[in-house]
Every structure is written in C-alpha cells, then in structure tokens.
Amino acid sequence: MFMHNKKLQYTVRVAEPNPGLAKLMLEQFGGPDGELAAAMRYFTQGLADEDPGRKDMLLDIATEELSHLEVIGSIVAMLNKGTKADIREGAMEEAELYMKINNGSADATQAILYGGGPSLTNSAGVPWSGAYVDSRGEPTVDLRSNIAAEARAKIVYERLINVTDDVGVQDALKFLMTREIAHQKSFEKALFAIEDNFPPGKLPGVEKYASTYVNTSQGEGDATGPWNSGDEWERIDDLTNTLPADGGSGLPTVELKGEQKSALAQLATRTKSNPDGNPTTGADLAAGPGAGRTKKVPEDIA
Amino acid sequence: MFMHNKKLQYTVRVAEPNPGLAKLMLEQFGGPDGELAAAMRYFTQGLADEDPGRKDMLLDIATEELSHLEVIGSIVAMLNKGTKADIREGAMEEAELYMKINNGSADATQAILYGGGPSLTNSAGVPWSGAYVDSRGEPTVDLRSNIAAEARAKIVYERLINVTDDVGVQDALKFLMTREIAHQKSFEKALFAIEDNFPPGKLPGVEKYASTYVNTSQGEGDATGPWNSGDEWERIDDLTNTLPADGGSGLPTVELKGEQKSALAQLATRTKSNPDGNPTTGADLAAGPGAGRTKKVPEDIA
Amino acid sequence: MFMHNKKLQYTVRVAEPNPGLAKLMLEQFGGPDGELAAAMRYFTQGLADEDPGRKDMLLDIATEELSHLEVIGSIVAMLNKGTKADIREGAMEEAELYMKINNGSADATQAILYGGGPSLTNSAGVPWSGAYVDSRGEPTVDLRSNIAAEARAKIVYERLINVTDDVGVQDALKFLMTREIAHQKSFEKALFAIEDNFPPGKLPGVEKYASTYVNTSQGEGDATGPWNSGDEWERIDDLTNTLPADGGSGLPTVELKGEQKSALAQLATRTKSNPDGNPTTGADLAAGPGAGRTKKVPEDIA
Amino acid sequence: MFMHNKKLQYTVRVAEPNPGLAKLMLEQFGGPDGELAAAMRYFTQGLADEDPGRKDMLLDIATEELSHLEVIGSIVAMLNKGTKADIREGAMEEAELYMKINNGSADATQAILYGGGPSLTNSAGVPWSGAYVDSRGEPTVDLRSNIAAEARAKIVYERLINVTDDVGVQDALKFLMTREIAHQKSFEKALFAIEDNFPPGKLPGVEKYASTYVNTSQGEGDATGPWNSGDEWERIDDLTNTLPADGGSGLPTVELKGEQKSALAQLATRTKSNPDGNPTTGADLAAGPGAGRTKKVPEDIA
Amino acid sequence: MFMHNKKLQYTVRVAEPNPGLAKLMLEQFGGPDGELAAAMRYFTQGLADEDPGRKDMLLDIATEELSHLEVIGSIVAMLNKGTKADIREGAMEEAELYMKINNGSADATQAILYGGGPSLTNSAGVPWSGAYVDSRGEPTVDLRSNIAAEARAKIVYERLINVTDDVGVQDALKFLMTREIAHQKSFEKALFAIEDNFPPGKLPGVEKYASTYVNTSQGEGDATGPWNSGDEWERIDDLTNTLPADGGSGLPTVELKGEQKSALAQLATRTKSNPDGNPTTGADLAAGPGAGRTKKVPEDIA
Amino acid sequence: MFMHNKKLQYTVRVAEPNPGLAKLMLEQFGGPDGELAAAMRYFTQGLADEDPGRKDMLLDIATEELSHLEVIGSIVAMLNKGTKADIREGAMEEAELYMKINNGSADATQAILYGGGPSLTNSAGVPWSGAYVDSRGEPTVDLRSNIAAEARAKIVYERLINVTDDVGVQDALKFLMTREIAHQKSFEKALFAIEDNFPPGKLPGVEKYASTYVNTSQGEGDATGPWNSGDEWERIDDLTNTLPADGGSGLPTVELKGEQKSALAQLATRTKSNPDGNPTTGADLAAGPGAGRTKKVPEDIA
C-alpha cells in the first residue's frame, strides 16, 4: 500500500512564474521518458517478478519515481501559477492575455484546456501513453529496458538544465538527474546478478546466424569497427549472391486447399491487371496523356 | 538510397493458412518491438549521427530490419491467404464465414478491415506508433535503447516460436530471433567503443545523491542485493526523518507579483471550500445522508 | 513524498489462474475508468489546488487509488501466473500452448507481448492515455468530473463482479467498488462546500439562452420531462422560423483585406466547379455513365 | 435521420482573420471537451437508452451539439480564411509567409497540413479521440458524466472568451457557453428524475468500507472538512496498524497445479538474482565502481 | 443547423441479439472507414470550401452520413440488447455470463466497459481518431480522398454482408453500401467539374522527373505494365550509376557558423567511437566473447 | 530484401540551420501524408497482392518512398544541426538557449526530447500512426487510396515550397513533389488496367438506391451540379415524407427471448425516469431553481 508525506523529496524553489519553461518541464512529467513512465515501468514489473530481492528493488524505485513525479509536477505548478490566476480570473485585458498566450511566453493548450495545472502530456501536448511502458516480463530483458530508460531520462534532464537559469529549478533538476544515474547503477547490478543474462530468455540462437554482420548499406562511407570486424564477426558484403541466407528460393509459399484454392483463383482473375495497352485514366481526363509534365494554369489567374 | 531484391532474406515456407497464428505474428510486424520499430529506431539515429563508423552501422542494421519486416510480413500474408480469399470472394456461406471469424480461428479486424493483408498493428489491433521509436540523439543513450530493444525483440520471437509447430514458420522465426542477438552484440560493441559512456551525456551527477539507495518500500520482504548494499551504496531507511533530501522545507514555492498576486488571491477566495458544516449534496438528495451504506432496490424489481 | 508498505490494502486471494478473467480485470488497471486514471486525476488536481483542505483530500484519495492500482494489478498478476510460466518456459507442446492462447482462455497480446505481467491497457489492449485525465483546474468543474469518474468506476467494478465466481476475486472487487462509492461521497461534499459552485467558473450565462430547450429531434416519440418542461424552461419547437437564435443572417462572415482578399479570389477562381455540363469521370471510364447501377462481373468468374 | 438548414444556430461575425486565435478555438471543435465529443457522448447514449423520455432528450441535445460544432467550426474557418488563401495561392514571398507561420501568428500544422480548414484536433494538434466519449450505458452514471462534461465545456468557453476582444467572436462564444449551462441543468433534472440514482448501478456497497476515509497523505497540512469528518465518516489515521482492511495477510496468492507449478519453479530458478557478491556491470566497465559520482570529461573538450 | 427526425433513414430489423456480430459492425460505426469518419471528412471540407455548389454537396452528404451513423449504430444497439440486459442486471450465473463474454459470442470490452452501447471504436476496440479525417483544404485533393474513402467504405460493407445471414441486417447493410457507391459517383462528378484538377494544386512538377519510373525492386518477377512502360514513361533500371537524380554528390550538407560549428566539433569529439580494438561489453561479461553462439542453460533447469 | 546505397536519391544542400523550418518539414517525414506513410501503404499492399505486375509496381514505389524518407529526413537533420550541437553541448548561456527554443525559432520538443534528430512525428509533434496506412486488400480500393494519398502528398510539398526561400531545400522539395505526381500517374494506370474497377469489389449495389441524391442540407444556398442533377440522378428534396427509404416504420427492432427479455424489462424499470414533477437537483442546491440565469459572484471578490 502506498502512503504519502506532504513534504516533497526535494524542496522546489521557483524564482518566478514562467509558463514557457513549464511547458518544457512537462517532458519529464507526462513525456515518454518522464517520471510516470518510470514509475509504471518498475511497478508493473515488480507486481509480476518471482525473485523477492528484485521485486523489492522494483517497488522501491517505482515508489521513488512517484515521488519524483510529485517534484517535477510541483515545479510545473509553480511555473504556471501566474497563468493559472490570469486565465481563470480573467484578470487582464483580453488582448493582453491573448498576446501572452500566443507569443510563446505561455502555451495555449496549457492555459485554455488545463487551466495552468500540470497535464499528463509531453511538451508538445501529446498525451502520455501506456505504450511508453515497455515491460515484457522477462527480467534480463526488462532490466535492459530499465537501464536504457534511465539513460534517456538522464539526458532529458540534462537538456532541461541547459535551458534554465532559475537556480532553484536547476537544483531540483540536478537532484532528479542524479537519481536517474543512481537507479541506472542499481539496474545494472541487478542485471548482472542474474547469471544467465545473455542472450536474454531461454532459447539459444542459431549458431550460423549469430555472428554474421550483413553489410546492407554500401558505397562511400563504408566503415569498420568492433561491431562488424574482428574474430567474432563474419561479414557479408556480397548480398546478391548470398541471398537468401537459408539457400532456398527466397520466395514465400503456402499451400491452400479445396475451396480456398478456387476462391483465391477467382480473386486473382477478378482483380488481374492488363499489362498491355494504355488505358485512359482519371488523370488523363484532366490533363491528357503525359499529364503532369506541364501544369496548365487557367489564364484568368496566370 | 534504398533498393530492393525480390528475394527475401530468408525463405518463408508456411505449411497451411492459419489466420489465428497470423494475428500473433503481427506483434513483430506492427507491434512495439517489431521490425518497423527497429528499422525506424536505427534509421532516425543514423541520419543525425556525427560519427561515420556508427552512422554506417546504424544504416546497415536499419536496412536489414526493413528486410526482416518483409520476412515477417510475408509470413503474415501466407498465413492469411485463405481468409483473404474467403472474405473477398464471399466464397462460403455467411454463417460459416461468421463462425470462422468469430470463434477465434481468424481475427475480425484482420478479415473485415484489412482484408487479410498484413496490418501495421500489434496482435491486439493497436496501430503502430511513432512513439515506439525512442531515439534521443545522444549515442550513449540511444545505443542503450537499442540494446534493450533487441533484447525485447528477441524474447517476443522466442514466445512466438513457443506457440507454433509449423516447421517452416519456426525456421524463419529462429533466423529472425538470432539476428536480434547479433544486432544486440553490435550495439554493445558500439556502446563500449565510446570511451565516455557513463553516465550518458555531459553533465556529472551531484555526488551526494549519486550513490544513495532510498528504501521507499518497507515491511516484510525488504531485501538486500548488490543494487542497494555494499561499499558503493548508502541506504536510507528512515525516510520521514531525512525528508527532504536537501534539508529544506519540502514545500514548493514561487513568488508572484502585482496583478498576478491579487488575481491568485481572488481565485483562492472564489473557490475556497468551507471546512465546517455538512452541506447537502447531490448524493444526499438521492439517498439521504450516509448514502451508499445500504442500496435501496425498488420493490418491483427486488 | 510517497512511501510503500509491502502489504496490500486488501488481501488478494485468487482460487486458480484464469488468463481470460485477467484480461477483463485490466479494464480497471489500465482502462479509462481504472485506478491509474483515478490516481492521476486527483494527483494532478491536488498539485495545483489553492485550497489547503481540498488539496489534502485530493492527495489522500490519489494515494489510496495508487494502492488500489496495486490491488487490481496483483489480481491480474495472480490470474496470469500460469500463462506467465507456460509462455516463458515453453513448458508444453507448441500446439497445445497455441490452443490455449487462441481459443479465448488466454489473451494473445497479454501472453506474447507482456509475458503475463499486468499491462497498462484496457481489456481490448488499448494503451492507457493521459487524455483519460480530464482535470481542468477549476475546482467546481474538476469535482464534478471526479464524481462522474467514481460513478463510472463503480459500475465497471459491478460488471466485473457479475462475471466471476471466484470468491476471493469477488471480495477484493467488492472492496474496491465500495471505496469508489465512499470517494464519490467525499467529492460531493467537497463540491457543495464551495458556495459558488453553479454555474462553474466566473462568467454568468446570457440570460435569454440559459433556460431555453431546443427540441431538435422531432417526430413520433417526442417527450416531456423535468429537463425540458415546467416553469424553468422555455421550449423551442419551431426551429426553422426561430433560426438563428440571435436574429441575424445565420451566415458566417469575416472581412479580408488587400492581398489576402485577392489571393482568396484567385483561390476561388482556380478551384471553382462548373455546375453545368456532365463531365466524364474516372468512374464513368470504368463502367459508363450510370455506373454502379449494375455490376459487371467478368464472365470467367460469374 | 438528420437534416440540415444552411443557417447557423448563431450568426458568426468575425472582425478579421486571426489564425492564432483560430488555433485556440480548435479546443472546442476537436478537443476533449469540444462539441464533437459532446454530440457523440449523447448520441451513443441515446441509441441504447430504454427510457423514451431520456432518449428523446439525449437526441435533442446531441443534435444541438452538432449545430454547435458547426458554429465553432465556422468561427475557425473565418479566422483562418486569410491563411488559407496565403498558403494555397503562394500569394506572398516565401520568407514572409514563413515568418507569419513560424512566429506564432499562425499555426504551422494548421497551415501546412490542413490548409486553413478546421481540423479535428485540439489546440495542440492532438487528433480527436473516440476515448473522449465516456458513455458506459448506465443512465445514473452517464448523466453524471454528462453533467461533468458540460461543466468542463463551460469553463473552456469562459477561458476562450477571456482571450479575445473580437466582439463577434465573443458573442458567439457566450451563446455556446450559455447553452452548456442549460444542458447541464437538463442533465441534472434527468438524473434526479431517476429515483434510485445513488450509488449508481444495482449492487450495494460493503457497509463497513462505504463510510471510511483513509488518511493516506499525512504531515503538516492535514486537514478536515465535510469530506472526511462528521457523523458520516470514520477516519483511519493509523495506516500501518490497520493494514490490510480485511485483516488478512495483505499478500496476493494463487494456487498453481501440476505442470504450471513446475514451470513456474523453473522460471524462478532461471531468473533468480544472486543477492550476494558485487558483479561487474556495463556501467562499471565504463567508469569503474562508483561510476557516476564523478564524470570524466575527455581532456580535449574540457 | 442540424435537425433530427426520429425515423431512421432505413428501417433496422434485427432477427435476434448477436453481440459477436455487433462487434464486427463497429467497424463502420467507429472504424477508420466508418460513418463518423465520412461525415466529419465532408463536414470539415464543407465549412471551408469557397465554391457554393460544392459546399452544398459536401454538407448534403455529410448530413446523410450522420444519418447512416445512426442506422449502423442502431444495428449495433439491437445486436447488443441482450448483452446489455445480462451484464447490467447480473441476470444469470457469474460463470455462465463469463462464458458468454469470454468464448467469443460477446466482446469483453463492449460488455464490461461500454455496457452494450455502441462505442466509437473499430472492431478491435481502437478508439476513433480525428486523424482518420484526411481533409487538406484543396478541393482537387480532398475530392480524390473522398472517392477513395467511399471505395473503402463500400468494400468494408461488402465484407460485413458476407458474414451475416440475418436478412434484416443484410438489407440495411446493402442500403448503406449502395449509398457509398452513389456518393463516390457524386464526388467523381465534382472532381471533374473542376477544370484544372491534375496535378492537384498550383505548382507544376519539374518536367524531367514527372515521367520517370524508377525500377527500385529488381530480380525475378520484374514486370512491365502501363504504369511503367510505353511512350509516357522513361524507366530507370541502372540505379547505381544514375544516382543521385540531380547529378550532385548525393550527400546532405549544411553550413554551420561560429559557436555552433565549434559546439558541433565538441559533440563529435565527445561521442566519437573508437573503430579499433575490441572493447569488453556488458554482453561479454555475461557470456564471454562470442556470446550468443551457444546459450548456457543452468544445469538445474536443463 | 532491401539494400542501401549511401548516396541520397537527390542531393540535399541546405544553406544554413533553421530549426523552425525543420519542424515544418517533419510533416513529410512523420506526418500522415509523409514518406513513411507512403512507403508502408504500398509495401503492405505489395506483400499481399496476387497480381505479379502490380505487386512489382507496389514494391518499386514503396522502395522509392523509403528513399524519399531518407531525403526529407536528411533535410530535417541538416536544418537541426545547429540546435543539436547547442542543446547537447550546453554551448551557450541557459537564458539564451531558452530564448531560442521558446520564441519559435526552434521547437521545444524537437530540442529537448529528440535532441535535434528527425522524429517520427508531424509538425505538431503527434507521433506517426499505423492508422495512416489505409490498405484494405482490394486493389480497386487500394489504388484509389494511393491516388488520393499521392495527391495529398503533392499539395503538402507545394505548401512547404511556399514557405522556404532556401534554394537547396526548394530544389529537393520540388523533386519530391514531382515524384508524387509521377506515382499518382502510375497508380491511375494500374487502376484502369483492371477491367472491373467500379464499383470496387464484387457485390453490385441495390439499383434503386444507387443513383439517388438526398438533399439533406436545405435553405438559401441550395445548388445543383453534375453531382446531383441530370439524367443520372434522382434527387430527393422532400425528406420527411419519403422517410425511411425502405418504406418501413423507420424504427429499430430486435426480438429478445426468455431471460434476456425479463432482464431488459427489469433494467427499464430500474432506470426509468419520472417525467412528471420537478426534482431538486445538485445544481438547484447550489443556485436555486432557475440556476444559471444569474451568476452570484461572492461580494468579497466582486
């Protein structure tokens, strides 16, 4: 069960209202790498994990991320506090309020729809999606997703720090950014505390395809590196002559029977195209054959 | 520029139509860990990467993932080939076709809306989303996302292999699954070929918060592990007395001025709640005070 | 700051795994009226509310809803526990596992993509959306939204209770359903503790339009009730002759000037349609004028 | 069946084009509280309601909301009329047109994608979603949702009025806002015309949980009000010692049998974490144990 | 302004409840080619069209599509009427109701969430999206979109007819299908009533690229037809040697200046990959170099 | 299988960074009419088409569209190259960077979330959706959708050309725009190379409804044109007296039996509204009967 203490995990001191900055901060409130996504990622994993220690860690960090959601949400609320009063009380001339909202110092949707409260959207106004949570229920997979998610959250906080000179906001963002580093470290430890962590899952790969590098992008700029060269790799450069990888025909096949077979034949006949001739088309009606080469502009608007 | 060879990267041999299995396969065609998501993840990264070697790798693998999209799409097309003929040609009795679609052997939306062609949806019919692509433009972040994405794709292929006994489908899936392992290895090499890869980005963390583990979930089941114990970690168990982390008030503040200040005061007055008294509510009108304790069921339907 | 106790708010006792039932339960985990939507609705409101008492209530109930999310998520995890083992370990014959997943006793996406863990989707697999949170930042509006949301959640729990005979699941659902009733009552009290709660907001309506009922749907079945009859209402039945309500022309107008005016004239000329004549169309090419009256079926498939 | 009269329900007189204002107005055309959402909410309810009087009311109001959609859409069309001509006819210098679109006086997506026509999006460009329609098919629930939806629509119109000084636009918005008040009153009457309207639905709550208030958020700022105090409420402050509410273990349980039981044991073994030791991780490779405390910046860019 | 007559445009006679069929029908209620999408496509176009005749046609057809939405919605409501009563009244044993919902004869989300009312989703439960409306504000473009949309709607109705033997449902569907044919014909006439309809818009194409066919997919199966052969076409088969089309370098370039130039250099240095050497990676830690070739399965679960 | 040549299909020469223009260009990268949508539309059709010639064409054009995706993506990457360096390296004062991002010269989400890389979103930040792909699996339908999609893409490119004076960007856009014209022509030819292409599909329409035009929108402005007048059309003006089209009752009916019938009766009784009397409502509590006519503003804030 969750409980709540009215103190924030980190004190939020905002110098003055700034709805434009509030909009940017939403990225970590309701954006794909934000705190709700983090909390829900670990929470859904924790509910289904069979390992008691890892389950405990997942719930610890999920709960802390909810606390971070509260911190970033409080930053947004403070930055929007002026807009909230302005828009709700109609406290200034309409034209003046319109200018504030429409010239970039405030965000239209934040003001009009959300009334200055923090919204579960990213900075572009896109609603948070449950699809941001990429838990798959296999710990060696999910921990890698968590490591990546913490890395993404770290970099987004770094960019937010780069765009504000409000010291109180910076301090809180640095705290949040650092905690993502700490969480990444925890998830790294947890991943490597599982002996059999690569390849993830239970099935081994097919040996002949596991160390092949397929050089599909060719031309000036072709390069080598430890990802495609050295003892571990067999690189394929001649694609055409090694295709398909299994040595078969490279064509897809399936066997239909009975009525389906004849229905398919009927479908093929009904929708067959005539490869010969040159039918007149709708475009031809408009512009004659060769339409599109030259655009006829009506004289009266030329 | 992209080019296409009509041969598939791996020959697709499907034993017989099976629209129920086709639906499951969509997870890797139009699902979050599917081949389009993979191709677009690496392609968007490759377009903006400043390192020539890594850029080459990203385009190589992006192009191969497009080829995998073609393989899994061809599997779906073969498995759906019978439904395609049935629904388009109306080749059987309506009641019989209804039974096939509605008893689980085929999927309604696949048949009715997509006509048996492969759709860019996951197995539940949810359309593919650009939000599946989590490229953030920082290589040490994106490569971790790529490693995680390959791990997720690997496990989904493993599960698909677990649910089909069609040997041709199994073979193609094993090929695709193995390539995900190979790609994960390439991305691992590329990540560690960047010297300064942790923490990702440029800003260091705040030292005092970087190695703290906050034990937010307590009670029976509290556990230790390398993620929260040992020399690297300082663990906080007494949350209440260490809150907030910065030693401040734990409250959010912002300074408003002039008209905004008075507008806010007006707003607070206008929307203040009266903490005393016990107002009659809409629910009280319906059921009297204490409503909900007992549900009055009208006599005539009791 | 949030904290977590490992005990659930209500003990979850599931008789046996039932992935089909798990799927239905997702409606209250990741569905529009589910516990995450509830928690986030009150949490976002609480962060921005200026009234201390109401803010406290919103955070109390938000925190409890997170605890309910844990309860319903634990029900899902228990019901899916068998599928989780089956799909991850490949513990049975492929054909047998396929049958379980595809004949309705389990859900394909839950098994393949989420691996038996609870997903932030509704029962159809649609990901949770931040748009479910309809906080608008005006207490007399938001409290009404909360009352409605609790009513919706109550009825969805009632329906879930109607479809399971697992006594342990029923007990937990009855607890959750009852708490929605209690929360609705709290929100009713809070709404009526605001003196000026109707109409919501600050602007009064235009008196002449505030008590008019426009009878737009006419014909057999026209009815009266307290919503359109009696002293409070003025009903308009003769629409055509009272249109528009303001007595004007009923047409939309705007004044363009200078270059825009001439650009618009040009646009009108360029895209004008010729009302006379009968142009040959693409459809005419295919089927002759009157196309569509009779469908020509090629002889070879007739 | 629907019919249409070319006159608007309210005459739209726009002083001059203003694409920035048009963008704000979209909130009520294609936004969550906009007129399409309203129309579809009542229309879907009306189609399935068994009560003839309420069904008539729902179709009356749904039809009126469609007429409001036409009014607000016409406002958008008039405000965008200049942009429409500019962008379609390429009627000014590219750089000048770019400045108009990119400096906030027009909206990029409205101009480029929608060509100045009204789009079914909110003011941030998010497409309208069928999920905005929260009809649940239980009248005592749906009417509460309708009341809340009208309240939300009222407040959004109020905010739009606050940001425009175009008198013609203001007049039309005031008409629309007032109609929402009238509709809310109709839905209130319809709700209370159902005798048994609380709690909604058929099942009563569990008496012991129906009047409990759980004080989950504690600390300075804990408050009382009619929502948690007085004769109707029993308040729980000592959470830890009263947990879980049912007096059980507070743990989730399910009984697995046979092969599933052994598969689960296998899964637990395969994915178990080693709580002891301190494995070297990917992050350690990059930065050594304690990684993240200090960020190594390569000398050549320091 | 819209008005409503309580009679449907076509009488709906459903033989008996069939919630499985209801689910399929949703495709035309809340699906991408359904009646709401049609109505909104023409309605949004009509609001902004400058041609009076075409505007009239668009509003005529938009209004008729709303009437079709009512017909298909009424079909859904009738087919779901039994489920509606069952789920709301809890009128049968829980286990029996569960079986009905979970064995495919009813749809879980329709029953639990929507309570048997028609939902604005497609047959898979995906909510209707404003993005289905592809109006772009250029008549020669929009009319082509309308023609295509009518063609799609026609074929979906055809498939629905193919899966039901309920004569009353078939009759109504045939009416709706036929009206799509009639609407397609109207839009064809309207398109060709614009003299300058191809290429759409105002700018002509670049002549040298307008009649080139680029044969990007090569190998066995390369084919010719009127779309790539004949006098109108110049076909390019030798891609490599004709690349890029403009005869330039085929590389993307941009000129950066001053601080941005040095910042970019810094970024390149900071994130450069070392192409030499073979760094140890996270995957190597788990499985040794060459990881993935063989999967180590722990002995105790082998 | 796909292959890649490092040269672009058209050389991209961008004069200088311009993140505001980059944002507009996203419309054709990740927008509904953009190149990914085009590529996927044709690719999904090609995988399932039974006609070898048309299948070849679909894969040719799909592959070319992927190459266009690379061209437009490269334009975005070049235009964003400065922002990418600025935001990632923190290369300028925070306040200065904030001003650049928030005053419209750059886009917040592009900078903060995507770090200056091209994102699969439209210009408003809405993620690309699989629902943009409207393939239905019937060639005469899909080809019409393709024609319409090419027309939409053409016009969006035209508008983009209208807003940039960067000659290198203009050149590339003109190339891309022209290729859409060429593709439209190919699809027109392919459509008319199918003999039986109208009405699409197999079922003929019902003759009496196929040439009827229903004049649902009446009043001043009613017009005629080839879409509703002439020998091919029978126009219905008197809607009320010809309703419903089938001559029936115009009411929806279904026959329920046994327990469902009594459950429905119970539901109707339980939720029936009392048409008489005038119940006191929640709104009445707040404002007295007639609430809303006059808004009571508390004296202390008047």
Side-chain angles (χ1 to χ4, degrees), chain D residues 15 39 62 72 77 85 108 112 115 121 149 173 185 198-199 206 208 210 216 226 236 242 250 259 266 283 291 293:
Chain D
I72 188 80
I112 302 295
T121 65
L173 294 176
K185 292 196 298 182
F198 183 82
V206 180
K208 61 185 284 205
T216 60
I236 299 179
T242 58
E259 289 184 7
Q266 195 180 70
R293 297 197 178 202

Side-chain angles (χ1 to χ4, degrees), chain A residues 20-61:
Chain A
L21 188 59
K23 178 185 166 177
L24 304 188
M25 295 294 148
L26 284 176
E27 210 55 73
Q28 291 302 82
F29 188 73
D33 301 333
E35 300 292 355
L36 181 61
M40 288 302 116
R41 179 176 282 111
Y42 312 139
F43 179 67
T44 51
Q45 291 171 23
L47 288 181
D49 202 316
E50 296 295 322
D51 185 78
R54 202 162 54 224
K55 185 188 196 86
D56 175 49
M57 175 193 69
L58 289 163
L59 289 173
D60 277 335
I61 301 184

Side-chain angles (χ1 to χ4, degrees), chain A residues 192 196-199 201-202 204 207 210-211 224-227 232 273-275 277-279 282-283 285-287 289-296 298, chain E residues 192 196-199 201-202 204 207 210-211 224-227 232 273-275 277-279 282-283 285-287 289-296 298:
Chain A
F192 290 94
D196 176 28
N197 76 56
F198 183 82
K202 204 172 164 187
E207 196 153 349
S211 297
T224 58
W227 48 80
E232 294 178 33
S273 69
N274 178 359
N278 185 3
L285 287 179
R293 296 197 179 203
T294 57
K295 173 76 182 177
K296 299 174 310 169
Chain E
F192 290 95
D196 177 26
N197 77 56
F198 182 82
K202 206 172 162 187
E207 196 154 347
S211 298
T224 59
W227 48 81
E232 295 178 32
S273 69
N274 180 359
N278 186 1
L285 287 179
R293 295 197 181 204
T294 55
K295 172 77 182 176
K296 297 176 308 171

